[in-house]
Amino acid sequence: MTKRTIIDRRTCLRGVGAALALPLLDSMGWVEASVKSGVKPPVRLGFMYMPHGVIMDQFWPTDADSYLTSPPPALEALRPVLDQCLMMKGISGVPNGPFKGAPHALELSTWLTAALPDADHRDVISISISADQIAAGVLGAFTSLPSLELATMPQTWKENQAGLNEAYYSHCSFRSPTQAVPAEINPRNVLNRLFDRREQNSESASGGISPLDRSMLDLVLSGARDLRRTLAPTDQKKLDEYLDSVRSVERRIAAIEFRQKEAALEKAGVRSSRRDDPDSPPIEIKIPEGDKRSEYMQVMCDLNVLAFQTDTTRVCTYIGSTPNGVSYPELGFTDKHHSTTHHNNDPEMVRKVAAITAFNIEQFAYMIKKMHSLREADGTLLDHCIMMWGSGLEDGDRHTRDNLPFIVAGRGGGSIKTGRYLPDIKGNQGDLLTTLLACAGVPVDRPVGIATKQIKEIFAHS
């Protein structure tokens, strides 16, 4: 009889000043599961946002029967994993109430709160706690980071539709009714945070090289070799693949930083003569016009995957873009997303909106496919996740909110039945969020926002 060694799930690979969390290995046990009951991975909950709605006839499937075999154009990137997805039509958004003139301040701020801001205190944050932070309050007790908030662009939009606080335009996570949670836009900072590395100030940076800049893996390889000898062949392969994926993310972040640094120098009329100088201070990550947004978004998606794979957090929210000024030169045009949505049925403008929607879903599909490719326990990482993609508007041209676009991927540890399109769901945004929290094992003592029920059709055993 082979003796099985159980490794604590919080075991890290450690080196000089660096700690690298590990993925779930077969030889690990989870806090919530005893050795007798076997390995049971936790459920993770993720949200990814796109503003301004969709072109509806290019987003919704024509019928439930053809959903998997003939998806609409917007879902083409998801075709290989549509059996891992659930779509529902009939989820209404929060009514605008006294904020008829503030569709863009509401579309993001209500997305995870399912609640309106306080009309009597418009100039300050006064709204409900968001679903991701409700989850973080429960699931975060088991991880080093209660939640991870990511964004593609700075949360600094200056506008006051209907007198509402500017933060409503660029935040969807609210830790309390009065506290918005800022999102991180710098992938280097996210990587540091995931692996417990504090950002260096300018003084410490000049005194040495950050372990991340020298590659964390180089510092922990000896520990990896020692650990590898104790693992079964399947775990050895998983460890090798994981270390490769971390190194890949590091290199891609470094490449983005390098290109942006060079572009900034050239714009300033300075030619870099020390391209490989390791003492260069870290730069602020921004997405300049013309840069490859897809590459940036995929790095952030990879960081989300790594965070879930290592159980560093079980809750992640990623704002792909906010309701302001973003453009997509990678698609061959520089029109702003917001302006294209007011297309008035002009065919060329409609084409551009459809292309932007497909682009954003493609980045979501990139993350879902990667999760589906990673083995975990008796299934895949995606099997133990609930990933929601969506928008806070139905139609950006008319600012409607009757059928908000949502895609839910992952089986949530067996709680969700995927591979379906449900065209006649009767429910609202709060109902959906309340249901997904229940599927993730988060007890909710009261409905989320305007919720009145759970959507039973979502459950695998309804």
Side-chain angles (χ1 to χ4, degrees):
M1 181 176 179
T2 302
K3 181 180 179 181
R4 184 188 177 201
T5 301
I6 301 295
I7 301 174
D8 189 284
R9 74 180 182 88
R10 296 190 185 276
T11 298
C12 295
L13 295 176
R14 297 189 181 276
V16 180
L20 182 63
L22 290 171
L24 172 64
L25 304 174
D26 291 343
S27 53
M28 284 182 174
W30 295 87
V31 166
E32 300 88 336
S34 67
V35 175
K36 289 184 179 180
S37 63
V39 174
K40 182 176 175 56
V43 175
R44 293 80 149 190
L45 188 58
F47 304 93
M48 185 170 177
Y49 182 82
M50 181 198 77
H52 302 319
V54 299
I55 302 300
M56 304 299 281
D57 61 3
Q58 297 198 42
F59 177 81
W60 295 115
T62 54
D63 60 72
D65 294 333
S66 64
Y67 164 63
L68 296 178
T69 57
S70 300
L75 305 184
E76 187 58 39
L78 281 167
R79 184 191 287 265
V81 287
L82 274 178
D83 62 329
Q84 307 296 315
C85 299
L86 171 67
M87 289 190 66
M88 298 155 286
K89 186 176 183 181
I91 303 295
S92 59
V94 181
N96 287 2
F99 305 108
K100 300 296 183 184
H104 301 304
L106 297 184
E107 61 171 304
L108 183 56
S109 62
T110 66
W111 193 60
L112 293 183
T113 61
L116 288 176
D118 185 345
D120 295 327
H121 301 87
R122 302 184 182 208
D123 59 337
V124 297
I125 296 297
S126 183
I127 198 169
S128 295
I129 183 173
S130 54
D132 61 328
Q133 295 306 299
I134 294 173
V138 176
L139 304 180
F142 303 103
T143 58
S144 58
L145 293 180
S147 61
L148 184 64
E149 293 76 34
L150 309 174
T152 301
M153 52 201 303
Q155 297 173 292
T156 55
W157 189 246
K158 303 294 184 183
E159 193 171 344
N160 298 95
Q161 285 185 341
L164 287 168
N165 188 282
E166 295 164 352
Y168 288 127
Y169 290 87
S170 52
H171 293 74
C172 66
S173 299
F174 297 87
R175 186 170 292 117
S176 73
T178 60
Q179 185 179 13
V181 183
E184 179 59 68
I185 66 169
N186 187 326
R188 174 70 65 183
N189 290 346
V190 178
L191 196 60
N192 282 334
R193 191 176 176 203
L194 291 182
F195 298 115
D196 199 25
R197 297 299 309 168
R198 293 184 179 180
E199 285 296 297
Q200 294 183 317
N201 58 35
S202 57
E203 292 180 4
S204 61
S206 63
I209 304 171
S210 164
L212 283 175
D213 292 334
R214 293 180 52 189
S215 175
M216 292 178 300
L217 297 185
D218 290 341
L219 298 176
V220 298
L221 282 179
S222 60
R225 286 193 294 269
D226 292 341
L227 174 64
R228 197 177 187 279
R229 284 195 289 268
T230 69
L231 300 177
T234 54
D235 278 348
Q236 290 179 2
K237 183 174 184 294
K238 183 181 291 188
L239 178 62
D240 292 342
E241 291 174 346
Y242 171 66
L243 295 176
D244 287 344
S245 70
V246 176
R247 192 186 295 275
S248 175
V249 171
E250 261 199 303
R251 287 172 176 166
R252 289 163 63 199
I253 290 173
I256 290 175
E257 292 175 336
F258 176 79
R259 287 201 306 272
Q260 293 179 342
K261 180 182 177 183
E262 291 300 300
L265 287 172
E266 291 178 8
K267 185 175 181 180
V270 178
R271 183 172 181 176
S272 175
S273 61
R274 302 180 65 192
R275 294 176 182 267
D276 297 319
D277 185 354
D279 293 331
S280 298
I283 65 169
E284 179 183 0
I285 299 297
K286 295 181 179 179
I287 302 298
E289 294 295 324
D291 204 358
K292 294 195 69 174
R293 180 172 293 270
S294 61
E295 183 181 71
Y296 180 98
M297 292 181 71
Q298 287 172 15
V299 167
M300 298 301 262
C301 287
D302 282 344
L303 290 167
N304 187 163
V305 174
L306 283 172
F308 282 174
Q309 192 182 15
T310 59
D311 202 33
T312 302
T313 189
R314 298 179 186 177
V315 182
C316 183
T317 303
Y318 180 25
I319 304 173
S321 63
T322 50
N324 52 57
V326 65
S327 63
Y328 293 82
E330 193 172 344
L331 297 178
F333 53 87
T334 58
D335 308 58
K336 302 296 185 182
H337 188 182
H338 175 230
S339 62
T340 60
T341 59
H342 292 292
H343 49 72
N344 197 27
N345 293 319
D346 176 81
E348 179 60 13
M349 297 287 277
V350 168
R351 180 191 71 80
K352 291 177 178 179
V353 175
I356 291 172
T357 300
F359 174 91
N360 279 274
I361 294 178
E362 183 179 352
Q363 312 319 312
F364 179 69
Y366 169 87
M367 180 165 55
I368 297 309
K369 291 173 186 175
K370 178 156 289 190
M371 289 180 168
H372 188 51
S373 72
L374 296 170
R375 190 176 67 84
E376 184 176 81
D378 59 350
T380 70
L381 177 61
L382 183 60
D383 287 336
H384 306 114
C385 292
I386 300 172
M387 305 298 296
M388 186 183 88
W389 179 94
S391 184
L393 288 177
E394 169 189 0
D395 180 355
D397 189 25
R398 296 177 294 139
H399 297 156
T400 54
R401 303 159 69 86
D402 296 331
N403 293 293
L404 292 184
F406 287 105
I407 303 169
V408 176
R411 296 191 170 99
S415 61
I416 296 176
K417 183 179 179 181
T418 59
R420 298 179 296 156
Y421 168 51
L422 306 176
D424 298 309
I425 289 294
K426 300 295 187 293
N428 63 51
Q429 199 167 353
D431 296 335
L432 175 60
L433 294 171
T434 301
T435 306
L436 294 184
L437 288 177
C439 290
V442 177
V444 181
D445 58 2
R446 58 186 179 276
V448 178
I450 61 173
T452 61
K453 63 181 180 181
Q454 292 184 13
I455 303 174
K456 299 299 184 183
E457 296 91 333
I458 292 177
F459 293 103
H461 306 291
S462 57

